[in-house]
Amino acid sequence: RRLRAARHRVSRPSSSHSSGVASTSPRVAATFFFRPSGTSCLVMPPSPLLAGLGSVKRTPFQAWLNKTAKNYERHKARAEEKRKHREAKAAAESAGLPPPPKKSP
């Protein structure tokens, strides 16, 4: 019997999204063993290991959930676009035609 996956969200620090360049910074994952209210604020847990990170903006859970969901959907759309381009390129090459141009960002 398979166990259900825990509800979780994975994200990168926001600075890596704005530059458009692949980041080497680690991903951040949050696993929820509960379902917080949308108005509940996410705060950094008290820990000496996290003390050096500086201040973190207090974010309502629903705002954070919306942001991570939007990032996930954007990633899915880009992956689908890349897959279609690869298929079109392969079809053009097999037909002896030049490859289709890539879309500009």
Side-chain angles (χ1 to χ4, degrees):
R1 180 181 133 152
R2 293 182 63 178
L3 299 175
R4 290 184 56 200
R7 179 175 295 275
H8 69 284
R9 294 292 181 261
V10 178
S11 181
R12 292 193 187 277
S14 60
S15 62
S16 66
H17 292 299
S18 59
S19 66
V21 178
S23 172
T24 58
S25 61
R27 296 179 346 153
V28 179
T31 303
F32 299 107
F33 298 101
F34 57 92
R35 187 74 177 168
S37 151
T39 57
S40 298
C41 279
L42 298 175
V43 296
M44 185 182 302
S47 168
L49 298 174
L50 302 175
L53 295 178
S55 64
V56 177
K57 183 174 72 170
R58 293 175 61 94
T59 306
F61 176 69
Q62 190 60 52
W64 184 78
L65 193 63
N66 292 343
K67 178 183 173 186
T68 55
K70 183 175 77 173
N71 290 341
Y72 175 74
E73 291 300 321
R74 184 174 57 206
H75 173 76
K76 277 185 18 181
R78 286 180 182 168
E80 179 65 15
E81 185 178 305
K82 286 180 181 180
R83 183 190 64 77
K84 286 181 180 179
H85 182 75
R86 277 194 309 269
E87 289 175 356
K89 184 178 176 181
E93 286 175 353
S94 67
L97 301 172
K102 280 191 173 185
K103 276 189 170 180
S104 304

